[in-house]
Amino acid sequence: MSWILLFIAGLLEVAWAAGLKSSEGFTRLWPSVFTLVTATGSFVLLAMAMRQLRSARPTPSGRASVRSARSFSASCSWARRCRPRAC
């Protein structure tokens, strides 16, 4: 049952992403309402599915990829701060 909820939540994610584009920055009423309803439904179904699914422990390769992503983002932010200023 939780996998079905997760699948429907994924479909709602696609629907609200499309609704977000058609709402034109929340300036159009009905596409904005559609976007908010599908986003809320997606979050609720995802929360319900994750309560029932067991989450796995992170593997060493997963931890290594997170560590490398963190170091890459830190080096990028350091490079942005230490750039010489244009005169």
Side-chain angles (χ1 to χ4, degrees):
M1 180 64 179
S2 58
W3 287 104
I4 294 170
L5 292 175
L6 191 62
F7 180 74
I8 295 170
L11 292 177
L12 287 176
E13 287 277 334
V14 173
W16 79 263
L20 191 59
K21 182 176 180 165
S22 67
S23 71
E24 297 174 6
F26 293 107
T27 57
R28 296 178 58 206
L29 177 64
W30 293 114
S32 298
V33 170
F34 173 77
T35 301
L36 293 173
V37 167
T38 54
T40 303
S42 172
F43 293 139
V44 167
L45 289 178
L46 184 61
M48 289 171 55
M50 291 310 293
R51 280 189 199 155
Q52 296 171 2
L53 290 174
R54 286 190 340 177
S55 59
R57 277 186 44 208
T59 61
S61 62
R63 286 191 295 255
S65 65
V66 167
R67 228 175 303 147
S68 64
R70 282 184 189 156
S71 67
F72 177 73
S73 68
S75 66
C76 288
S77 65
W78 178 82
R80 271 186 259 133
R81 280 184 277 149
C82 295
R83 241 186 321 193
R85 294 181 188 219
C87 296

